[in-house]
Amino acid sequence: MDIIRASHLGMCFGVRDAIALALDQSQARPLTILGDLVHNPGVVAALRAKGIATAAAVAQVRTHAVMVTAHGASDRTLSSARALGLEVVEATCPLVRVAHRAITRLVRDGYHPVIIGQRGHVEVKGLTEDLKAFQIVLGEDDVQRLAGYPRMGVAAQTTQPIERVRHLVSLIERRFPQSEVRFIDTVCEPTKQRQSAAVRLALDSDVVIVIGGPDSNNTRELVTTCRRYCSLVHHVGTESDLRAEWFNADSTVGITAGTSTPDPVIDRIELRIRQLAGERGDASPCAGSHQ
């Protein structure tokens, strides 16, 4: 058995910085995070073990300090928190801020905003809550339901696969040939890197293990991408999710992970795959993974 890791996988700088900020701020005073800081149950549990609270809405916050997650929030939400006398600590990823500014610029320039993203996702809520009018699309059927405007400005949730985004932009342009469609690419570079690396990994693997929380959008997108190029793809959160029957002695096993997956989790899962190989008598060929 051979084990390979994607050239780009796991936590991005925005998530690492958000976690570090939460731990640092919580040392000074009680802290509540507005929602899950990242979509990874293990990380969320570790933060709670440090005494950091979470709240689903501003009105539920019981500490003086409240932290906005890496996914960002609308000005409306931030204003609501400050109106209650809360100290707002922002862990918003800088690349999510780029998306906010891009949408603001589109609206300012007279374009009706169309957001490519997952309706109801916390990042998409943050991108759209301050808008008077907007539309959200995620698939071809959504494009068919779009209302047309003379000027349409398109941006995307930062964790959407860029190939999907470009495809939907092309469909919008074809559906509304009389409209001026302006697209600003707001998909973040870590997402692009992980998606491209996932394609290469899946092409080289017999089995792909994608590691990440069940609510992580970018992890689910990695699963979808890998399944286009490899028939055996499994989404796991921890090493306990692995099954021995997924692996054969002569398999090449690829590993990738979403941007909220900690390095130790990736390491433990790779170690468990090695152990499973050893139990099957394949430990020797599995002795060295490569990237």
Side-chain angles (χ1 to χ4, degrees), residues 116-161:
I116 297 173
Q118 182 184 355
R119 189 181 301 274
H121 189 280
V122 61
E123 181 187 329
V124 176
K125 287 181 179 179
L127 292 172
T128 57
E129 278 183 345
D130 293 326
L131 302 176
K132 293 181 179 179
F134 61 90
Q135 298 180 88
I136 298 173
V137 299
L138 189 60
E140 295 184 7
D141 290 345
D142 296 324
V143 173
Q144 294 306 312
R145 289 190 289 268
L146 276 178
Y149 290 80
R151 307 181 85 194
M152 303 175 73
V154 185
Q157 180 182 359
T158 58
T159 55
Q160 287 296 311

Side-chain angles (χ1 to χ4, degrees), residues 3-4 46 56 72 88 107 116 129 132 166-167 184 197 201 234 253:
I3 302 175
I4 58 177
V88 177
V107 174
I116 297 173
E129 278 183 345
K132 293 181 179 179
R166 288 174 177 151
H167 174 63
I184 299 180
L201 181 79
H234 303 283
V253 180

Side-chain angles (χ1 to χ4, degrees), residues 6-34:
S7 57
H8 295 279
L9 80 169
M11 277 194 177
C12 61
F13 75 90
V15 170
R16 294 183 191 276
D17 289 351
I19 294 170
L21 181 61
L23 293 172
D24 179 68
Q25 292 290 316
S26 68
Q27 297 299 310
R29 72 282 204 220
L31 178 69
T32 299
I33 297 174
L34 195 59

